[in-house]
Amino acid sequence: MDDAVRAKYLKAGQIASKVRGQAADMLQEGNLLLDVAEFAESEIIKLGGKPAFPVNLAIDTIAAHYTPHSEDPLTFQAGQIVKLDLGVHVDGYIADTALTVEISTNKWKSLIDASADSLTAVLDALRPGIMVRDLGAMIEQIIRSRGFEPISNLSGHSLEQFNLHAGISVPNVSDTSADDLKPGMAVAIEPFATNGVGRVAGRKSGNIYKLLRMKELPDPELNEIVHEVHAEFNCLPFPERWVAKRFDKSDKKLKKLLRQGIVATYPILSEVKGGMVSQMEHTIVMTSEGAIITTK
Ligand code: MN
Ligand code: MN
């Protein structure tokens, strides 16, 4: 990784860290999820970045992939645990970070600590050449020692320019992966803990889409949507909200693009036995001297 690329990863991380703090302050009873997501995405742009994916606000048993709809009436309620997950890119170089906040109560501190403390332990252990399976084993051991389960079918991931999941996974449980973290790699690490069984599954759409391919379409308005989405997001995920600001009947038009295989949607991922879920995430850049946490 050359210095110019590293500087872009670091800038993305600084923006992500600042906006994560500001948005976390808005996670309060009665506030609209929509306002938090829109605020965070506009702040990212103001600070010189772009959203690498729509701001995710995953409540209680939802682990990931929910972003508010353009007309979303949902507000935060006392007793909820909220995962705020946001991504920033600078010229395609991504910072991905998340935290968990409990709204108005203090019932889930040990669950939130389980994901936070396992991430801290992994970050402390990072060195060039470390095996990702050893990181997974560490996360599993710490979360289990607190009486919870790690989510086994969600994992951290390597990052490349305009690519959120670049091929290497960092598991949240011990596994047999032969991958290690080499100097020059950028990686997001994200332990999830639950009082459920430790697996997630997806059903209906969470208002997040991505462009699968560029194609000239006979319908001029659908064609315009595809070109604008490509210009703005490349093939990174985008929200229904962004389309709704520029075109009417956004849901209907996105469904048409879905049926034609031009876009894909991300299903909302929920814990399969209805367990509550906590998450903590940072992005690191590995160097020959050790790891730099870009989103600290
Ligand atoms: Mn994330
Ligand atoms: Mn991630």
Side-chain angles (χ1 to χ4, degrees):
M1 182 183 296
D2 66 33
D3 288 351
V5 169
R6 186 188 295 185
K8 287 172 183 173
Y9 274 118
L10 293 176
K11 184 179 178 190
Q14 283 163 4
I15 295 169
S17 171
K18 181 163 189 205
V19 175
R20 184 189 60 216
Q22 293 171 320
D25 290 341
M26 295 173 70
L27 302 178
Q28 292 190 38
E29 200 174 343
N31 283 354
L32 282 164
L33 278 67
L34 180 59
D35 287 347
V36 175
E38 293 275 289
F39 167 80
E41 288 164 11
S42 69
E43 274 305 297
I44 288 168
I45 292 164
K46 241 186 248 172
L47 293 169
K50 281 188 165 186
F53 52 83
V55 169
N56 279 225
L57 291 163
I59 292 177
D60 292 347
T61 65
I62 298 174
H65 296 173
Y66 184 78
T67 200
H69 186 268
S70 56
E71 295 172 353
D72 205 312
L74 287 179
T75 57
F76 300 107
Q77 304 295 323
Q80 289 177 334
I81 55 174
V82 180
K83 280 73 67 186
L84 162 71
D85 192 336
L86 59 89
V88 175
H89 78 84
V90 172
D91 191 25
Y93 298 102
I94 298 166
D96 183 2
T97 184
L99 51 65
T100 303
V101 168
E102 182 171 352
I103 309 293
S104 305
T105 54
N106 198 27
K107 294 181 294 186
W108 298 104
K109 185 175 186 304
S110 61
L111 179 64
I112 294 169
D113 287 349
S115 52
D117 294 348
S118 61
L119 180 58
T120 301
V122 161
L123 295 175
D124 287 345
L126 291 177
R127 53 180 172 72
I130 195 159
M131 304 298 289
V132 298
R133 63 174 182 245
D134 293 340
L135 302 179
M138 195 180 292
I139 291 168
E140 178 174 14
Q141 191 274 323
I142 292 171
I143 291 175
R144 285 232 169 113
S145 74
R146 309 295 176 85
F148 300 109
E149 287 294 322
I151 293 185
S152 60
N153 61 339
L154 289 173
S155 60
H157 45 96
S158 56
L159 299 160
E160 285 172 8
Q161 191 179 26
F162 289 108
N163 188 354
L164 257 172
H165 290 264
I168 289 177
S169 291
V170 180
N172 288 324
V173 292
S174 57
D175 77 356
T176 56
S177 167
D179 292 326
D180 66 340
L181 300 188
K182 294 181 172 67
M185 288 176 56
V187 184
I189 304 174
E190 49 184 315
F192 288 82
T194 181
N195 61 354
V197 292
R199 286 188 66 79
V200 294
R203 281 185 289 273
K204 63 175 193 136
S205 164
N207 309 315
I208 302 173
Y209 296 83
K210 76 170 168 185
L211 193 60
L212 292 175
R213 58 207 174 93
M214 276 298 279
K215 193 184 159 189
E216 294 302 320
L217 301 174
D219 179 322
E221 212 175 14
L222 293 183
N223 204 45
E224 201 185 333
I225 293 176
V226 166
H227 280 84
E228 285 198 24
V229 162
H230 186 261
E232 185 67 21
F233 299 98
N234 202 314
C235 289
L236 291 169
F238 64 92
E240 172 277 336
R241 287 180 277 112
W242 192 87
V243 178
K245 282 189 187 128
R246 289 154 185 85
F247 300 89
D248 62 0
K249 302 193 178 94
S250 54
D251 286 313
K252 205 174 149 195
K253 285 166 187 165
L254 284 165
K255 285 209 174 77
K256 275 190 190 168
L257 290 170
L258 200 57
R259 278 197 302 270
Q260 294 178 29
I262 307 294
V263 302
T265 184
Y266 292 79
I268 301 168
L269 299 175
S270 299
E271 213 284 328
V272 294
K273 294 291 177 192
M276 296 288 267
V277 177
S278 73
Q279 173 203 17
M280 202 66 84
E281 179 174 26
H282 277 301
T283 294
I284 67 106
V285 167
M286 187 58 81
T287 76
S288 53
E289 280 87 51
I292 302 167
I293 304 167
T294 69
T295 50
K296 205 162 188 135

